[in-house]
């Protein structure tokens, strides 16, 4: 006969919806807490330790650390999409401002190029706001680009570079300061040099 011992008891503390990495989908979960109890003669029972929490998927019963609740690929994708859209827009504005002002042609070209790469029509007021914000924040082209580069694959980087080139061409020939900006843009995008030069040559621009 066992007169004393300890056992674990599991309590469900809360539940909700989460992205289960095992199911690869959004499923319900239960947040479980494990406590250790000391038993004596079946009459006395007291808690001797809190062993912590874990998350259990209600679908596949896989268990995870609580951190799993922070993992939300849909929200992360949206965030990255938003970051990409604003970075692409701000990169085009920075290139257009290389000569100190944004001409009507450049303004129109930003709207067109933005729509081409995002399928979203940028309103004139929104663009004016973005230009004002960019002037206030004084973020350099490099800072804007470095923020987005890690999230883009080579094709995404090429798209941004080509959009910037389209803006540089909007006011006629590409000026030297625009050329320098385009070259440093391709560097900040971490686009392989040979790849970037392929794009420059195709666009009839001197390679790096
Ligand atoms: Zn699951």
């Amino acid at each position: 006969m066992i007169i004393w011992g300890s056992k674990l008891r599991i309590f469900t503390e809360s539940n909700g919806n989460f992205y289960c990495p095992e199911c690869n989908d959004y499923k319900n979960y239960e947040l479980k807490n494990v406590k250790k109890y000391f038993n004596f003669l079946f009459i006395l029972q007291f808690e001797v330790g809190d062993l912590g929490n874990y998350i259990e998927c209600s679908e596949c019963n896989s268990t995870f650390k609580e951190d799993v609740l922070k993992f939300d690929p849909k929200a992360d994708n949206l965030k990255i999409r938003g970051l990409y859209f604003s970075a692409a827009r701000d990169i085009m504005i920075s290139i257009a401002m290389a000569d100190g002002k944004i001409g009507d042609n450049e303004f129109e070209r930003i709207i067109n190029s933005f729509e081409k790469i995002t399928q979203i029509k940028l309103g004139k007021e929104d663009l004016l706001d973005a230009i004002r914000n960019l002037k206030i924040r004084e973020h350099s082209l490099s800072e804007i680009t470095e923020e987005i580069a890690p999230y883009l694959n080579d094709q995404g980087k090429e798209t941004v570079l080509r959009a910037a080139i389209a803006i540089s061409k909007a006011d006629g020939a590409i000026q030297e300061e625009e050329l320098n900006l385009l070259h440093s843009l391709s560097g900040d995008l971490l686009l392989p040099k040979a790849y970037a030069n392929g794009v420059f040559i195709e666009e009839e621009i001197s390679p790096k």
Side-chain angles (χ1 to χ4, degrees):
M1 184 178 139
I2 301 168
I3 51 170
W4 62 271
S6 63
K7 69 173 181 182
L8 300 179
R9 291 181 65 187
I10 297 170
F11 300 90
T12 300
E13 302 266 302
S14 63
N15 53 53
N17 198 255
F18 83 130
Y19 187 87
C20 172
E22 278 301 318
C23 298
N24 269 319
D25 202 0
Y26 291 87
K27 299 288 178 190
N28 290 323
Y29 73 85
E30 288 188 333
L31 172 71
K32 309 264 195 182
N33 175 258
V34 187
K35 284 188 167 65
K36 190 175 186 182
Y37 281 81
F38 182 76
N39 296 296
F40 182 70
L41 283 177
F42 303 107
I43 49 169
L44 199 63
Q45 171 175 283
F46 52 93
E47 188 187 326
V48 289
D50 187 333
L51 301 183
N53 297 334
Y54 67 90
I55 301 294
E56 186 176 300
C57 174
S58 306
E59 183 83 17
C60 67
N61 297 116
S62 298
T63 57
F64 307 96
K65 287 184 183 172
E66 279 180 277
D67 281 357
V68 77
L69 297 185
K70 290 184 202 145
F71 179 55
D72 185 347
K74 236 188 234 170
D76 289 350
N77 275 342
L78 275 178
K79 218 157 76 190
I80 292 167
R81 249 171 90 87
L83 191 66
Y84 173 61
F85 287 177
S86 53
R89 180 199 61 207
D90 291 350
I91 287 168
M92 289 190 275
I93 295 172
S94 303
I95 296 279
M97 284 201 300
D99 55 0
K101 56 174 176 38
I102 297 186
D104 289 345
N105 274 350
E106 289 173 315
F107 195 86
E108 286 301 321
R109 190 71 70 97
I110 292 173
I111 291 176
N112 292 341
S113 298
F114 187 81
E115 191 174 359
K116 218 160 143 190
I117 65 176
T118 65
Q119 271 81 52
I120 290 174
K121 182 113 183 141
L122 190 60
K124 287 188 176 172
E125 275 308 312
D126 292 339
L127 180 53
L128 285 171
D129 273 349
I131 293 168
R132 272 193 291 268
N133 277 333
L134 203 62
K135 280 181 182 163
I136 294 166
R137 284 191 298 145
E138 287 183 337
H139 271 189
S140 70
L141 182 61
S142 291
E143 287 169 318
I144 301 163
T145 312
E146 281 160 10
E147 214 179 338
I148 188 68
Y151 300 107
L152 297 178
N153 59 19
D154 283 352
Q155 210 192 332
K157 291 169 185 178
E158 180 186 337
T159 305
V160 171
L161 181 60
R162 285 197 193 263
I165 291 171
I167 305 304
S168 313
K169 287 178 173 173
D171 54 356
I174 293 183
Q175 310 296 319
E176 189 162 347
E177 66 261 41
E178 287 172 325
L179 182 64
N180 291 338
L181 273 181
L182 290 173
H183 284 169
S184 63
L185 173 65
S186 72
D188 293 334
L189 281 169
L190 307 173
L191 200 57
K193 197 173 172 184
Y195 192 131
N197 282 340
V199 173
F200 287 133
I201 289 164
E202 245 184 70
E203 297 273 357
E204 295 173 346
I205 293 173
S206 349
K208 269 212 285 189

